[in-house]
C-alpha cells in the first residue's frame, strides 16, 4: 500500500487566489514528482525533485512553483490561479532511479478555477 | 526519449486473458520497459517492468520480444476491476517517466 497523500482532493476557487496543493510521503523517498492531467488526456510532468533543496522544471511549462524543504513534503503553489489552471494534479515519489524502481502516485488533487 | 505506440482502446471479456501490445522500435539497450495503469479517478499504479527477459508478478506478465522492439502486457484472467488505461513507458535513466495516451481497456461482463 502506497503511503503518499495529497490534499485537498478537490478544490474550487476563484480567479486570482493563491493556492497550495500539498503532497506528503512517509516512505522516505528522495525523488518526488508533480504531473498535470486534463480529463481523458495524457499526464505531463511539470516539476520534479531529487531531494531536499532540489527542484527542476518538467517537460510541460507550468506557472506553478514547488519547494522541497523536507524530504517528505513537496508542495505545489499557484500564486494567482486562473481558469487555465483547471486540471488534475498528481504527485508521485520513488525510492530508486525510475529505471528499476516504481513510482508511487497519490490520488490526485482536482483543481477548478472559476 | 524513445517513444511507444499502443492501441487507443481494447476490449476483453471478463475472466478471459487479454494481451496489451506496445511497440517501441527505437528502444535503446539501456531502456527499461515499464507498465502502469490508471483506474478511473485515481493516480496511476505500477504494474510491472522489465529489461530483456519475460517477467511475472501477481498482477500480470510482461513478454518482451527478442529484439526488444515490442512488448506485451498479459492479464491472465481479467475482472471488472482491470478496466483502466494502461501505459507502456520506456526509461533509460533520466528518471522522468513520460506517459503517453495509453490503451483504454474495457472489460465486458
Amino acid at each position: 500500500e502506497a503511503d503518499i497523500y495529497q490534499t485537498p482532493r478537490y478544490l474550487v476557487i476563484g480567479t486570482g487566489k493563491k493556492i497550495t496543493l500539498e503532497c506528503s510521503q512517509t516512505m522516505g523517498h528522495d525523488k518526488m514528482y508533480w504531473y498535470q492531467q486534463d480529463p481523458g488526456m495524457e499526464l505531463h510532468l511539470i516539476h520534479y525533485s531529487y531531494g531536499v533543496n532540489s527542484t527542476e522544471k518538467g517537460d510541460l511549462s507550468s506557472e506553478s512553483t514547488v519547494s522541497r524543504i523536507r524530504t517528505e513534503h513537496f508542495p505545489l503553489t499557484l500564486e494567482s490561479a486562473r481558469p487555465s489552471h483547471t486540471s488534475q494534479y498528481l504527485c508521485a515519489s520513488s525510492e530508486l532511479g525510475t529505471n528499476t524502481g516504481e513510482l508511487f502516485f497519490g490520488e490526485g488533487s482536482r483543481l477548478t478555477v472559476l | 526519449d524513445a517513444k511507444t505506440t499502443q492501441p487507443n482502446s481494447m476490449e476483453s471479456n471478463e475472466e478471459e486473458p487479454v494481451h496489451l501490445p506496445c511497440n517501441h522500435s527505437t528502444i535503446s539497450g539501456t531502456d527499461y520497459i515499464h507498465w502502469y495503469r490508471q483506474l478511473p479517478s485515481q493516480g496511476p499504479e505500477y504494474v510491472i517492468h522489465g529489461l530483456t527477459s519475460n517477467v511475472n508478478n501477481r498482477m500480470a506478465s510482461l513478454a518482451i520480444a527478442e529484439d526488444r522492439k515490442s512488448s506485451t502486457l498479459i492479464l491472465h484472467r481479467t475482472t471488472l476491476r482491470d478496466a483502466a488505461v494502461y501505459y507502456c513507458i520506456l526509461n533509460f535513466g533520466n528518471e522522468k517517466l513520460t506517459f503517453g495516451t495509453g490503451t483504454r481497456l474495457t472489460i465486458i461482463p
Side-chain angles (χ1 to χ4, degrees):
Chain A
E1 196 72 27
D3 296 315
I4 180 164
Y5 309 100
Q6 292 186 241
T7 58
R9 287 291 314 279
Y10 303 93
L11 179 62
V12 180
I13 202 164
T15 296
K17 299 291 186 182
K18 177 180 178 179
I19 65 111
T20 296
L21 304 179
E22 300 287 351
C23 177
S24 298
Q25 51 95 4
T26 58
M27 296 172 281
H29 289 170
D30 287 323
K31 298 172 181 62
M32 297 189 74
Y33 314 80
W34 276 103
Y35 285 83
Q36 182 176 344
Q37 184 180 35
D38 292 332
M41 304 298 285
E42 300 177 39
L43 285 87
H44 293 284
L45 180 68
I46 53 175
H47 298 284
Y48 61 102
S49 167
Y50 289 121
V52 171
N53 295 326
S54 155
T55 60
E56 304 285 345
K57 293 284 190 182
D59 302 320
L60 179 70
S61 176
S62 173
E63 294 171 343
S64 60
T65 59
V66 292
S67 62
R68 191 86 184 277
I69 298 171
R70 293 165 60 181
T71 298
E72 59 269 30
H73 293 151
F74 192 38
L76 180 145
T77 299
L78 278 165
E79 290 293 334
S80 179
R82 294 206 301 270
S84 62
H85 296 140
T86 295
S87 190
Q88 176 164 248
Y89 294 84
L90 290 155
C91 181
S93 71
S94 68
E95 178 179 2
L96 304 171
T98 51
N99 247 356
T100 56
E102 64 183 274
L103 254 61
F104 293 90
F105 279 85
E107 292 188 300
S109 293
R110 191 172 294 279
L111 173 66
T112 302
V113 184
L114 303 176
Chain B
D1 288 347
K3 292 181 68 72
T4 63
T5 305
Q6 301 177 251
N8 288 333
S9 62
M10 291 185 65
E11 290 183 347
S12 175
N13 293 319
E14 191 179 11
E15 299 185 2
E16 295 288 322
V18 65
H19 292 217
L20 300 171
C22 181
N23 288 321
H24 28 79
S25 58
T26 60
I27 191 170
S28 73
T30 55
D31 280 333
Y32 278 75
I33 302 160
H34 295 253
W35 283 83
Y36 281 75
R37 72 179 185 181
Q38 188 173 20
L39 303 172
S41 301
Q42 295 189 26
E45 64 175 345
Y46 167 84
V47 177
I48 200 166
H49 76 274
L51 183 62
T52 56
S53 303
N54 294 345
V55 184
N56 299 297
N57 66 20
R58 64 175 180 82
M59 289 182 70
S61 296
L62 176 60
I64 302 172
E66 196 168 335
D67 63 4
R68 299 208 332 123
K69 294 184 184 300
S70 66
S71 61
T72 302
L73 180 71
I74 302 164
L75 305 180
H76 294 285
R77 190 169 176 270
T78 55
T79 69
L80 295 177
R81 198 192 174 279
D82 292 319
V85 178
Y86 287 78
Y87 299 97
C88 170
I89 304 160
L90 302 183
N91 188 268
F92 67 100
N94 63 2
E95 302 181 339
K96 299 184 294 177
L97 292 187
T98 300
F99 290 76
T101 54
T103 296
R104 183 172 299 278
L105 176 64
T106 300
I107 306 299
I108 302 169

